[in-house]
Amino acid sequence: MFSAQQFLPTAVLDKLTDTRVRDPEFAWRSARRRVHRDGIAPDGKLNLLAADHPARRVTKVGDNALAMCDRHEYLARILRVLAAERVDGVMATMDILEDLLIVDGLLREAGGVPLLDGKLAIASLNRGGLAGSAWELDDPVTGPSAAVCQECKLDGVKLLLRVDDTEPASLKTLLACARAISESAARGLPMFLEPLPVARTEKGYTVVKTAEALARLAGVASALGDSSRHLWLKLPYCDGYDTVARSTTLPILLLGGESAGDAAPFLGQLRSALAAGGNVRGALVGRNVLYPGAEDPLAVAEAAGGIIHDGWTVDEAIRSCEANRGRDMDSIARLFQ
């Protein structure tokens, strides 16, 4: 079982907050010192972590409604995944990215290896349509601008687009996404757009995971803004995923959805998705990697990376977990003793 306290001691978290108080610009100085990779996807594939859930009031994992409200636990798991060699980077809201940049700077000062060097740091532009709110599909950008992301030397931006044909507010969101795509393209920033067809149920909005619905919306998403030259799509898995892949020439990353508490189903979907079309180029996944039941998040991240970058089978990926489970659990703690 992963221990947040073991991997990221409270003393480090206290030092992070102290740095925020005494030196608010520390995170941005750390951002400018970060070593960038050559190109966004050197081998054409990406294994990215999604860590923007709490900002849209999504905090539930399994039976724990507040699991992702625990910032110590959440941040420790994010850092654990970033320690994986086969992870290409992280997508998160600015508060999370600044937490990571502060920890990165503290690691550098302590003589350690910064976890963000050579990794992608992608900003979630976030959205105002909070889960469960009356205005949920009126979903404007509430996060950073493309100009700020460029100033902070981030590697790209991400935006969620949910569309319900019966909800007029979806049009406002569609227009907001088009503007954000154009602004990002003008600055050469890759945009990871997550277009999801949704329907209202008694338990709130649910994603319509059919090949027809996803393929039709992918065609709409591909045409948003004044250029698609820096656009990637993030789409969930479904039966008949080859239909989804054929709906666009844009690169596609698989999303994971709610945690199953077991990595095997997600790894199987990932392998199948990659085989569905040459434009399926990896994954941008959160809870299934961050909260994989009793498994080590780093082990699951390496397993997914093996499938994406090395062509592993699902069995090979699952076997790799044993070798990576618990590896270097004291890599941060020992620097701050």
Side-chain angles (χ1 to χ4, degrees):
M1 181 68 72
F2 175 75
S3 168
Q5 179 62 35
Q6 181 183 358
F7 185 69
L8 185 69
T10 302
V12 181
L13 208 67
D14 290 343
K15 193 172 182 64
L16 189 163
T17 301
D18 184 60
T19 301
R20 281 185 170 278
V21 172
R22 64 177 173 78
D23 190 358
E25 300 302 318
F26 185 93
W28 279 42
R29 291 201 306 276
S30 180
R32 294 185 177 97
R33 294 182 65 186
R34 187 167 62 90
V35 177
H36 290 256
R37 57 166 57 188
D38 293 328
I40 187 170
D43 68 351
K45 304 288 182 68
L46 286 175
N47 180 26
L48 295 172
L49 175 67
D52 60 344
H53 310 85
R56 61 180 191 269
R57 207 156 63 184
V58 175
T59 59
K60 185 175 183 290
V61 176
D63 295 330
N64 186 346
L66 299 179
M68 288 184 285
C69 283
D70 186 330
R71 187 52 60 94
H72 186 179
E73 183 80 27
Y74 194 57
L75 188 60
R77 289 175 178 272
I78 294 168
L79 289 164
R80 183 66 177 153
V81 170
L82 283 172
E85 296 169 3
R86 292 180 177 85
V87 167
D88 293 286
V90 60
M91 179 279 297
T93 47
M94 285 300 285
D95 59 318
I96 294 287
L97 286 177
E98 287 163 350
D99 278 346
L100 297 174
L101 287 164
I102 290 171
V103 173
D104 225 39
L106 294 175
L107 287 172
R108 196 185 302 273
E109 289 182 351
V113 178
L115 293 177
L116 290 177
D117 276 2
K119 308 262 187 183
L120 299 177
I122 297 164
S124 171
L125 299 187
N126 205 28
R127 55 184 182 75
L130 301 180
S133 65
W135 65 89
E136 190 168 345
L137 288 196
D138 185 357
D139 227 0
V141 172
T142 57
S145 66
V148 166
C149 292
Q150 185 179 48
E151 182 184 353
C152 197
K153 298 189 180 299
L154 299 179
D155 301 294
V157 295
K158 177 263 184 181
L159 193 57
L160 174 65
L161 166 63
R162 294 184 301 166
V163 174
D164 178 354
D165 290 352
T166 68
E167 175 50 72
S170 288
L171 177 58
K172 294 182 181 180
T173 305
L174 203 66
L175 293 172
C177 285
R179 286 193 295 271
I181 290 168
S182 296
E183 290 169 4
S184 300
R187 290 167 172 78
L189 283 171
M191 162 68 81
F192 296 85
L193 180 66
E194 183 178 0
L196 299 178
V198 297
R200 187 190 289 272
T201 70
E202 291 182 356
K203 296 182 178 180
Y205 285 100
T206 184
V207 179
V208 181
K209 294 183 183 178
T210 67
E212 178 183 358
L214 289 168
R216 294 180 71 190
L217 188 54
V220 173
S222 299
L224 290 175
D226 56 18
S227 175
S228 63
R229 66 190 187 276
H230 294 292
L231 192 58
W232 295 59
L233 298 183
K234 178 187 178 187
L235 296 166
Y237 185 76
C238 68
D239 291 336
Y241 208 67
D242 56 327
T243 298
V244 179
R246 288 199 304 271
S247 68
T248 182
T249 58
L250 298 181
I252 294 171
L253 298 180
L254 189 70
L255 66 88
E258 293 185 16
S259 173
D262 174 10
F266 160 66
L267 294 174
Q269 290 179 356
L270 176 57
R271 175 78 179 184
S272 295
L274 289 168
N279 59 333
V280 183
R281 294 303 180 100
L284 177 47
V285 176
R287 286 164 286 182
N288 275 290
V289 173
L290 288 171
Y291 296 89
E295 188 55 273
D296 183 351
L298 178 144
V300 176
E302 292 283 19
I307 291 175
I308 293 167
H309 290 295
D310 302 312
W312 287 355
T313 65
V314 175
D315 286 342
E316 287 174 325
I318 291 174
R319 285 198 298 271
S320 77
C321 289
E322 184 174 352
N324 288 307
R325 187 179 302 129
R327 190 187 80 199
D328 298 326
M329 278 292 290
D330 65 341
S331 59
I332 293 177
R334 66 172 178 258
L335 293 171
F336 297 95
Q337 291 177 346

